[in-house]
Amino acid sequence: MTDMSLSELGELLLECVGAPEEGMALEGDDALDTPFLEFGYDSLALLQVTSVINRKYGITLDDDAVAEAETPRMLLQLISVAPRAGAVR
C-alpha cells in the first residue's frame, strides 16, 4: 500500500506533461474532485504519469483503471491500493 499526496501527483504531472491549464492548480480539496480534463490533462498524459509512478515507486496500475480515473482523488485511490513490486532507483 502506497500513499501519494495530491502535491506529489501534481509534481509528477508537471515533470511529465507540463503545467495545468492557466489559472488551474493541483492543490486544495477542490482539486481532488476536479476532472483531469479541466486541468488540461488527457488520458495519454495520465498514462505517461502512471508509467513514471510504476518505475519510480514500483507500483503497477491497470491502464483501463487509470483511464477510468477521471479525478485526482480517483487516481490517488488507485495508487493507494495498487500492488507494489519494489522501487527501482
Side-chain angles (χ1 to χ4, degrees):
M1 205 183 232
T2 300
D3 286 334
M4 177 178 283
S5 70
L6 180 62
S7 174
E8 290 171 308
L9 178 59
E11 288 174 20
L12 286 173
L13 281 162
L14 183 62
E15 289 173 24
C16 294
V17 291
E21 290 292 318
E22 188 172 335
M24 300 292 290
L26 230 70
E27 56 189 37
D29 289 341
D30 290 346
L32 282 169
D33 296 311
T34 301
F36 281 112
L37 286 175
E38 287 187 31
F39 290 108
Y41 298 127
D42 60 10
S43 57
L44 182 58
L46 294 182
L47 289 175
Q48 287 179 276
V49 168
T50 56
S51 175
V52 171
I53 290 170
N54 184 5
R55 284 193 311 272
K56 188 171 184 175
Y57 297 98
I59 298 170
T60 303
L61 296 168
D62 180 72
D63 289 347
D64 291 334
V66 170
E68 291 177 19
E70 296 176 358
T71 66
R73 182 184 308 274
M74 294 171 78
L75 183 57
L76 290 170
Q77 287 173 339
L78 278 177
I79 292 167
S80 73
V81 298
R84 184 176 177 143
V88 177
R89 299 200 179 221

